[in-house]
DNA sequence: GCGACAG
DNA sequence: ATCTTGTCGC
């Protein structure tokens, strides 16, 4: 697929905040995304391995045909991770590998789901949001744990599948605590870009099966990423 | 200085 | 995220 190089992928930490602030005002989470406009959905994830003080990253993108929910394409990339993990700046750490993998895709997915946040972020620039500018497609962020934004208070949704509570900051709903399966820990979702909160919620639920609290595309990418690491260690030792 | 803290 | 065995529960 075609990538939009809006800025270099290797940036000095000094510029992290200014880049996020610059892109933040271009974010659009006001438009609905309808199912009949979606043919393919991609799940993205990254796994790590520490080797002699260095960190190696493995990224995987799994593309699904929404109608059949079969994987129609996969793309991967592996490389050294240079940026340390800093809450609020995950994109600068993982995007280099993710974009490298995305470039290899023959298909251009209609939607990407990320392991991490969308606009549920101090500057509304979580990894899902940031990635959409490079991908040029709608994105959704699905996080397994909560990143506190502002003075938002968290309310636990009911136990039934589909139950949800809004995460409101300054009168604006920037995310939702969503129970994707009965009785399991909820996930924290938020639109990344080019899609609204309602569509993000509906699509996340549609893509979540009973085998995991995470939407299938993200879960499949997560598993694939561990397989990559496993086979790498096997031929390296 | 003291907590908070996506992956 | 990653390091890790058994074990409580449906």
């Amino acid at each position: 697929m075609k990538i939009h190089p809006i800025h270099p992928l290797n940036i000095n930490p000094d510029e992290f905040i200014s880049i996020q602030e610059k892109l933040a005002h271009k974010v659009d989470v006001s438009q609905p995304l309808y199912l009949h406009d979606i043919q393919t959905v991609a799940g993205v994830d990254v796994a790590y391995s520490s080797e002699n003080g260095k960190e190696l990253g493995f990224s995987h993108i799994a593309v699904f045909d929404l109608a059949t929910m079969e994987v129609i394409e996969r793309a991967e990339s592996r490389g050294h991770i240079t940026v340390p993990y800093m809450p609020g700046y995950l994109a600068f750490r993982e995007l280099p590998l993710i974009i490298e993998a995305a470039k290899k895709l023959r298909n251009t997915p209609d939607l990407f789901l990320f392991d991490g946040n969308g606009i549920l972020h101090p500057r509304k620039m979580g990894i899902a949001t940031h990635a959409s500018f490079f991908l040029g497609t709608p994105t959704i962020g699905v996080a397994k744990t909560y990143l506190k934004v502002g003075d938002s208070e968290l309310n636990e949704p009911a136990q039934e599948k589909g139950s949800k509570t809004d995460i409101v900051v300054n009168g604006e709903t920037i995310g939702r605590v969503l129970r994707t399966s009965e009785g399991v820990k909820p996930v924290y979702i938020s639109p990344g870009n080019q899609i609204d909160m309602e569509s993000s919620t509906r699509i996340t639920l549609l893509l979540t099966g009973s085998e995991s609290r995470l939407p299938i595309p993200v879960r499949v990418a997560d598993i694939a990423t561990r397989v990559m690491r496993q086979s790498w260690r096997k031929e390296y030792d």
Side-chain angles (χ1 to χ4, degrees):
Chain A
M1 71 179 284
K2 185 175 183 177
I3 297 300
H4 306 287
I6 56 169
H7 68 63
L9 287 172
N10 269 359
I11 303 263
N12 304 302
D14 302 23
E15 305 178 90
F16 287 180
I17 289 186
S18 60
I19 287 178
Q20 291 183 333
E21 294 178 332
K22 181 179 180 182
L23 293 174
H25 59 71
K26 296 181 179 177
V27 177
D28 179 9
V29 290
S30 67
Q31 305 306 315
L33 182 61
Y34 302 107
L35 289 183
H36 64 267
D37 288 322
I38 305 175
Q39 298 300 318
T40 54
V41 184
V44 186
D45 196 24
V46 177
Y48 301 89
S49 181
S50 297
E51 298 298 328
N52 38 53
K54 303 278 187 175
E55 272 189 314
L56 257 185
F58 305 83
S59 77
H60 187 102
I61 300 177
V63 185
F64 286 73
D65 178 301
L66 185 59
T68 65
M69 277 313 276
E70 293 289 314
V71 176
I72 61 169
E73 187 184 5
R74 328 188 70 131
E76 308 177 326
S77 70
R78 178 185 79 211
H80 293 293
I81 298 295
T82 57
V83 179
Y85 170 67
M86 296 178 277
Y89 305 97
L90 180 63
F92 297 98
R93 174 175 166 81
E94 301 191 338
L95 277 190
L97 278 182
I98 292 173
I99 297 306
E100 188 183 324
K103 285 179 180 172
K104 301 176 182 175
L105 290 173
R106 292 186 297 98
N107 292 281
T108 296
D110 297 311
L111 170 70
F112 280 83
L113 272 68
F114 285 79
D115 192 332
N117 295 316
I119 62 170
L120 175 53
H121 178 279
R123 289 166 293 282
K124 298 185 179 181
M125 282 294 296
I127 188 169
T129 305
H130 203 141
S132 78
F133 289 106
F134 282 93
L135 302 171
T137 70
T139 59
I140 296 175
V142 182
K144 297 183 293 298
T145 60
Y146 181 57
L147 169 62
K148 192 166 188 290
V149 176
D151 54 346
S152 56
E153 59 177 87
L154 227 48
N155 295 302
E156 178 89 355
Q159 294 301 312
E160 310 89 68
K161 170 171 184 172
S163 295
K164 57 186 182 293
T165 58
D166 291 347
I167 298 172
V168 183
V169 174
N170 298 323
E172 180 186 11
T173 297
I174 61 174
R176 276 177 175 163
V177 185
L178 178 65
R179 191 84 65 184
T180 52
S181 289
E182 164 94 41
V184 303
K185 285 173 54 181
V187 294
Y188 305 82
I189 70 168
S190 57
N193 198 2
Q194 298 179 34
I195 184 173
D196 65 13
M197 188 71 245
E198 279 306 312
S199 301
S200 298
T201 303
R202 180 165 43 74
I203 294 173
T204 297
L205 279 174
L206 176 70
L207 295 174
T208 302
S210 56
E211 58 290 308
S212 171
R213 68 190 177 108
L214 295 176
I216 294 173
V218 174
R219 177 54 178 159
V220 167
D222 173 64
I223 293 174
T225 222
R226 298 168 195 272
V227 171
M228 285 177 72
R229 180 176 58 193
Q230 192 72 290
S231 42
W232 183 83
R233 285 174 171 168
K234 185 175 182 180
E235 61 179 82
Y236 187 77
D237 295 332

